[in-house]
Amino acid sequence: MAWEASDFRERMAALRAAHGAVVVLTGAGISRESGLHTFRDADGIWASVSIDEVATPQAFARDPARVHAFYNQRRRGLLDPVVLPNPAHAALARLERDWPGAVLVVTQNIDDLHERAGSRTLVHMHGELLKARCGGCGTVIRCREDLAPAHPCVACGNAGGVRPHVVWFGEMPLELDRIYHALGQASLFAAIGTSGTVYPAAGFVDAVPRGCVTVEINLEPSEGASRFVHRIHGPAGTAVPAFVDALCGGDG
Ligand code: BJW
């Protein structure tokens, strides 16, 4: 792998000595080995469900029961005891503990596997499956149960507006100011397990300063692979621990 090369390790040692800031973007591929589906692979979610049916505000307005059913099923899947963080999630939590500079994990995933693995400095830019939000008053609550259209908001009492706390197409992703601020300071940017098709996340690699080391880790070249300096193609569960070893000066 590229990061077993001595020049990559030397570059990482220099970044470590300088306490360089790290931003890691993750996508559905990092949770695949935990048993969760990706979106755009052959067996992915969009192969069996249409985006227009479940992942736009218009879909929710048209048929909230259908959209709730889709997210209820995914929430139950996430809460299945067999779904656990894998070595890639654990490695990123270790990076946050061991790296001497700032580390921000920005995930497009709505699962909670990064938190369960121990990541603490984390942005869920596309929301969280284990939360619900009132479309009327904006109150966000924890949610481990099924939702239904008649579900009343605990804060304002209105029924009908409670929705999954997720970002659908056409909606603004969350905490973008914080993300772009971190990208603007990054010495290292890594994108892991994302197809690079959904914006603005797909454009983050272009928002880092000149000289920032950029790394793609994905099962196969993503749509934006050519925009990264280093490209590692393999399963996240083995590639990410090796990458973190190289960053932190471990034996790999
Ligand atoms: C492995 C692996 C293993 C497998 N190891 N790897 C035209 C141009 C530009 C933009 C637009 C445009 N028209 C419309 C837009 C905007 C639109 C957009 O990007 N559309 C594109 C489709 C063109 N974006 C939006 O609407 C966003 N909002 C927005 O833009 O607001 C305005 C704005 C503009 C500018 C600045 C700021 C704001 C909102 C996007 C919301 C996305 N929502 C979803 C669903 C909701 C959450 C949920 O239900 O889970 O989020 S869609 C879905 O895609 C989900 C994901 O987070 C997202 C990204 O998918 P991801 O993670 O990349 O998964 P996959 O399946 O695509 O890829 C997985 C990869 O892993 C693959 O490559 C595999 O090979 C790999 N893999 N196993 C390593 N073991």
Side-chain angles (χ1 to χ4, degrees), residues 26-33 37-41 44-46 51 54-55 70-71 74 107-111 126-127 166-173 176 180 192-202 217-223 234-237:
T26 67
I30 198 170
S31 296
R32 182 73 194 90
E33 289 157 76
H37 284 288
T38 59
F39 292 92
R40 295 168 185 84
D41 289 309
I45 292 171
W46 299 150
I51 288 175
V54 294
F70 172 69
Y71 284 98
R74 288 178 61 199
T107 187
Q108 297 169 86
N109 300 340
I110 62 174
D111 66 56
H126 289 165
V166 302
V167 177
W168 291 317
F169 283 102
E171 297 185 319
M172 192 63 84
L176 285 177
Y180 281 110
I192 301 170
T194 176
S195 60
T197 49
V198 176
Y199 285 83
I217 303 174
N218 206 51
L219 202 53
E220 58 193 16
S222 76
E223 199 124 305

Side-chain angles (χ1 to χ4, degrees), residues 80-97:
D80 187 321
V82 301
V83 173
L84 295 168
N86 66 56
H89 298 102
L92 293 182
R94 177 160 58 91
L95 177 64
E96 188 181 325
R97 281 196 308 272

Side-chain angles (χ1 to χ4, degrees), residues 33-185:
E33 289 157 76
S34 295
L36 298 180
H37 284 288
T38 59
F39 292 92
R40 295 168 185 84
D41 289 309
D43 63 349
I45 292 171
W46 299 150
S48 55
V49 188
S50 137
I51 288 175
D52 294 336
E53 216 182 313
V54 294
T56 66
Q58 293 79 12
F60 188 66
R62 195 172 53 240
D63 192 350
R66 171 73 188 96
V67 175
H68 278 311
F70 172 69
Y71 284 98
N72 288 343
Q73 185 189 25
R74 288 178 61 199
R75 193 179 300 106
R76 280 184 239 129
L78 176 59
L79 293 173
D80 187 321
V82 301
V83 173
L84 295 168
N86 66 56
H89 298 102
L92 293 182
R94 177 160 58 91
L95 177 64
E96 188 181 325
R97 281 196 308 272
D98 293 354
W99 184 256
V103 176
L104 177 67
V105 175
V106 178
T107 187
Q108 297 169 86
N109 300 340
I110 62 174
D111 66 56
D112 64 343
L113 298 180
H114 284 301
E115 292 94 319
R116 284 201 241 166
S119 285
R120 293 292 171 261
T121 314
L122 175 69
V123 173
H124 277 280
M125 66 175 289
H126 289 165
E128 296 175 65
L129 187 53
L130 300 183
K131 290 184 179 169
R133 182 171 84 242
C134 175
C137 72
T139 298
V140 176
I141 55 160
R142 293 186 182 283
C143 171
R144 298 175 76 84
E145 312 297 332
D146 283 2
L147 289 171
H151 208 99
C153 170
V154 290
C156 70
N158 281 343
V162 176
R163 53 167 284 180
H165 183 49
V166 302
V167 177
W168 291 317
F169 283 102
E171 297 185 319
M172 192 63 84
L174 307 176
E175 297 195 60
L176 285 177
D177 288 349
R178 181 178 175 198
I179 295 169
Y180 281 110
H181 178 77
L183 290 168
Q185 317 236 309

